[in-house]
Amino acid sequence: MSVIYNRVALIGLGLIASSMFWAIKRAGLANEVTGFSRSAKTRDTAREIGLCDRVCNNLTDAVIDADLIVLCVPVGAMEDVAMQIAPGLKSGATVSDVGSVKRAVIDAVAPHLPDDVHFIPAHPLAGTEQSGPTSGFAELFDNRWCLLVPLEDTDPAQVDRLADFWHGLGSNVECMEPDHHDLVLAVTSHTPHLIAYTMVGVADDLRRVTDSEVVKYSAAGFRDFTRIAASDPTMWRDVFLNNKDATLEILGRFTEELFALQRAIRKGDGKELHDYFTRTRAIRRGIIEAGQDTDAPNFGRGPKK
Amino acid sequence: MSVIYNRVALIGLGLIASSMFWAIKRAGLANEVTGFSRSAKTRDTAREIGLCDRVCNNLTDAVIDADLIVLCVPVGAMEDVAMQIAPGLKSGATVSDVGSVKRAVIDAVAPHLPDDVHFIPAHPLAGTEQSGPTSGFAELFDNRWCLLVPLEDTDPAQVDRLADFWHGLGSNVECMEPDHHDLVLAVTSHTPHLIAYTMVGVADDLRRVTDSEVVKYSAAGFRDFTRIAASDPTMWRDVFLNNKDATLEILGRFTEELFALQRAIRKGDGKELHDYFTRTRAIRRGIIEAGQDTDAPNFGRGPKK
């Protein structure tokens, strides 16, 4: 792989940025990577573990002369960062981000950027329940999707260049329109996360079942929810506040379906339940075939046969 | 490990029974294991792969002279099986089961068994999304819990004996009262499964997001739901029909909480969301510390650092 951007600036040094750094180094996609975090503690940690070629103490130093600037901060912090970096951006640079919602990020960031930089929003669909600068690893994006959400008037050559960069990080790349992105993610990510958070909250609230019972017997299904519900609270707060309409729409459909199944349970309608549960199996098969999960039993937690 | 029951009969040859067989052999817990499945195809498969020392073509042959008979059929099939095996049971034998609900199984099975056999319901909290006779493996129960739900008048020596047997299969063992069992499992297993089935069903129904999009972008959270929702439909239909009250109670609490979070999203109440998401992280830590899951990112799907 050859260098795609001479200098890359990573703003925010959490799971995604730290994984990007290791993946950039793995593939040699940049000559220099600078990094900035608002937190002095995070900057210290980054320096200790060699995260970024140069960790800067302020935003201006981090973005100076950068060819690609990637905003890796929670969605709610994007606008502030955009305003602060705007004056220091090099003409012809590309600004991108990794936020989980796209319409709100476009509305927050685009108005603040000068006309001579390219703004190409992006969203790598990859993550773990871990967060912070020590949680990254080079392979995070391998075989995962990165969605690019370019605005209409963006130079196609610069979109291709950013796509090459994400290919180099290990991802498959596709372009998508912002509102459609937000709806798709409301289905595949945002609503599932909210539901998982809710279920874990219910378990925690229930006085008649002790916390220790919930923890001990979690392997019966519940623990998969707790993994999702252990993700970064600030990031997820911002996702829901900024993808409100799509999340509320999918939640509405979800409760409608849940009430139908609840009614089938109350009425003892075994056929309806069986039909429903049979239909959902096919989707799982599709996901295995698409290479987006392992078919090892129990996520490969158990020993191999 | 030494022999605990001279002859064990496994009725139903799916994931749990086949795992029990391999675990019995691993530890030498029985001199002979017989097996029966209603399906001729399953019996053929079992014979091909050496599952059970002897696969019988009828229930009577399978239970004759058995010291432990374990009903490994869906909860809704337990009563029929109990009626059919009752006349052939040896005096002093123990009958147990592996059903995910306990009150309904007790009501269905206990009345049909002769007074001179011990009936000790049990529930191993272990499983994968796979099913059928080829899905079992000896390590399934290792470090998982098996809950014994003995009736009040059961000989404690026979409960201890069955506990020794489950210890030999690799499990931790605890006793629990049937209604409490059904409530705990409604929280840790039954409701999470219903919710996962529902979310997968919603995704499948939504015309504006294609199936291929759902499948491609599943790694953003949704795929963890699909794993749960790929479990055996017959087993789960029977769980919900037979743990109706506890499941409906927990579902009621779940929708109440979900509506509160939905309202927080609609109102843009970031503090409430952040507080809620922070609280749920602690439960995850408890589960890791209790050894019921791995803290490897992404369930260990990703490469190790």
Side-chain angles (χ1 to χ4, degrees):
Chain A
M1 210 79 193
S2 53
V3 169
I4 295 176
Y5 296 99
N6 181 53
R7 185 182 289 179
V8 173
L10 301 174
I11 309 303
L13 296 173
L15 168 67
I16 298 296
S18 55
S19 296
M20 288 180 73
F21 175 73
W22 302 117
I24 288 169
K25 290 293 156 182
R26 181 182 65 170
L29 302 176
N31 289 318
E32 192 191 17
V33 180
T34 60
F36 170 78
S37 167
R38 203 178 49 170
S39 146
K41 184 158 168 259
T42 299
R43 295 196 299 267
D44 288 346
T45 303
R47 287 179 183 120
E48 273 162 33
I49 64 174
L51 176 63
C52 294
D53 298 316
R54 192 155 49 82
V55 176
C56 303
N57 288 327
N58 63 70
L59 274 170
T60 310
D61 288 352
V63 303
I64 248 174
D65 219 29
D67 303 283
L68 173 68
I69 301 93
V70 189
L71 312 183
C72 307
V73 298
V75 170
M78 297 271 182
E79 181 159 25
D80 260 5
V81 171
M83 286 194 288
Q84 290 181 58
I85 63 170
L89 295 172
K90 182 166 80 171
S91 178
T94 291
V95 172
S96 187
D97 77 306
V98 297
S100 304
V101 301
K102 295 272 68 83
R103 174 59 68 192
V105 168
I106 292 169
D107 291 349
V109 171
H112 302 289
L113 299 183
D115 289 341
D116 61 349
V117 308
H118 311 281
F119 176 44
I120 312 174
H123 180 199
L125 307 189
T128 75
E129 69 277 25
Q130 320 278 350
S131 43
T134 60
S135 60
F137 52 97
E139 300 84 358
L140 180 64
F141 309 108
D142 287 352
N143 198 33
R144 296 289 162 242
W145 288 92
C146 181
L147 299 175
L148 302 188
V149 185
L151 308 181
E152 274 182 20
D153 53 355
T154 307
D155 178 357
Q158 296 302 325
V159 177
D160 288 348
R161 191 181 177 191
L162 187 62
D164 286 346
F165 177 76
W166 276 104
H167 280 301
L169 295 173
S171 290
N172 306 313
V173 179
E174 209 143 288
C175 284
M176 205 178 265
E177 189 272 329
D179 294 319
H180 190 65
H181 168 278
D182 289 356
L183 181 65
V184 169
L185 269 290
V187 175
T188 58
S189 178
H190 306 169
T191 309
H193 273 80
L194 193 75
I195 289 165
Y197 276 120
T198 307
M199 188 64 226
V200 174
V202 168
D204 190 38
D205 263 354
L206 201 71
R207 297 284 168 262
R208 282 157 60 211
V209 175
T210 66
D211 277 359
S212 72
E213 283 173 329
V214 167
V215 166
K216 270 162 85 172
Y217 309 133
S218 65
F222 182 72
R223 69 172 171 195
D224 296 346
F225 283 63
T226 66
R227 188 188 77 88
I228 301 182
S231 305
D232 183 54
T234 304
M235 173 194 151
W236 282 101
R237 176 199 66 194
D238 286 0
V239 165
F240 295 118
L241 295 179
N242 289 285
N243 196 19
K244 189 186 284 199
D245 294 345
T247 305
L248 291 176
E249 181 192 335
I250 304 304
L251 270 178
R253 300 184 66 105
F254 173 82
T255 41
E256 198 176 288
E257 297 268 318
L258 187 64
F259 286 163
L261 285 176
Q262 188 170 322
R263 186 162 165 270
I265 292 173
R266 203 180 292 279
K267 288 169 56 190
D269 187 342
K271 185 176 180 310
E272 183 174 345
L273 294 172
H274 193 272
D275 288 352
Y276 202 98
F277 301 163
T278 303
R279 190 159 60 85
T280 54
R281 273 196 151 176
I283 294 193
R284 175 73 188 166
R285 274 193 295 270
I287 288 170
I288 304 290
E289 282 158 19
Q292 293 299 303
D293 205 354
T294 168
D295 67 349
N298 209 8
F299 291 131
R301 281 180 186 116
K304 305 288 176 293
K305 274 201 284 188
Chain B
M1 209 78 193
S2 52
V3 168
I4 295 176
Y5 296 99
N6 181 52
R7 184 182 290 179
V8 173
L10 301 173
I11 309 303
L13 295 173
L15 168 66
I16 299 296
S18 54
S19 296
M20 288 180 74
F21 175 74
W22 302 117
I24 290 168
K25 289 293 154 181
R26 181 182 66 171
L29 303 176
N31 289 319
E32 192 190 17
V33 180
T34 61
F36 170 79
S37 166
R38 203 177 52 169
S39 146
K41 186 160 166 258
T42 299
R43 295 196 299 267
D44 288 346
T45 303
R47 286 178 183 121
E48 273 161 34
I49 64 174
L51 175 63
C52 295
D53 299 314
R54 193 155 48 83
V55 176
C56 303
N57 287 326
N58 62 70
L59 275 171
T60 311
D61 288 352
V63 303
I64 249 174
D65 219 28
D67 303 282
L68 173 68
I69 300 94
V70 189
L71 311 184
C72 307
V73 298
V75 170
M78 296 271 183
E79 180 158 27
D80 260 6
V81 171
M83 285 194 288
Q84 290 180 58
I85 62 170
L89 295 172
K90 182 166 81 173
S91 177
T94 291
V95 172
S96 188
D97 77 306
V98 297
S100 303
V101 302
K102 294 272 68 84
R103 174 60 67 193
V105 168
I106 291 169
D107 291 349
V109 171
H112 302 289
L113 299 182
D115 290 341
D116 61 349
V117 307
H118 311 281
F119 176 44
I120 311 175
H123 180 199
L125 307 189
T128 76
E129 69 279 23
Q130 320 277 350
S131 44
T134 60
S135 60
F137 51 98
E139 300 84 357
L140 180 64
F141 309 108
D142 288 352
N143 199 32
R144 296 289 163 241
W145 288 92
C146 181
L147 300 175
L148 302 188
V149 185
L151 308 183
E152 274 183 18
D153 54 354
T154 306
D155 178 359
Q158 295 302 326
V159 177
D160 288 348
R161 191 180 177 193
L162 187 63
D164 287 345
F165 177 75
W166 275 104
H167 280 301
L169 294 173
S171 289
N172 306 313
V173 179
E174 209 143 288
C175 284
M176 204 179 264
E177 188 272 329
D179 294 319
H180 190 65
H181 168 279
D182 288 356
L183 181 66
V184 169
L185 270 289
V187 175
T188 58
S189 178
H190 306 168
T191 309
H193 273 80
L194 193 75
I195 288 165
Y197 276 119
T198 307
M199 188 62 227
V200 175
V202 167
D204 190 37
D205 263 355
L206 201 70
R207 297 284 167 260
R208 282 158 58 212
V209 176
T210 66
D211 277 359
S212 71
E213 284 173 328
V214 168
V215 166
K216 270 162 85 173
Y217 309 132
S218 64
F222 182 72
R223 70 172 171 195
D224 296 345
F225 284 63
T226 66
R227 187 188 77 89
I228 301 182
S231 305
D232 184 52
T234 304
M235 175 195 148
W236 282 100
R237 176 198 65 195
D238 286 0
V239 165
F240 296 118
L241 295 179
N242 290 284
N243 196 19
K244 188 186 286 199
D245 294 345
T247 305
L248 291 177
E249 179 190 336
I250 303 305
L251 270 178
R253 300 184 68 105
F254 172 82
T255 41
E256 198 177 287
E257 298 267 319
L258 187 64
F259 285 163
L261 285 176
Q262 187 170 322
R263 185 162 165 271
I265 293 173
R266 202 182 293 278
K267 289 169 56 191
D269 186 342
K271 185 176 181 310
E272 183 174 344
L273 294 172
H274 193 273
D275 288 352
Y276 202 98
F277 301 164
T278 302
R279 190 159 60 84
T280 54
R281 273 196 152 176
I283 295 194
R284 175 72 188 165
R285 274 194 295 272
I287 288 170
I288 305 290
E289 282 159 19
Q292 293 300 301
D293 205 355
T294 167
D295 67 349
N298 208 11
F299 290 132
R301 281 179 185 118
K304 306 289 177 291
K305 275 200 280 187

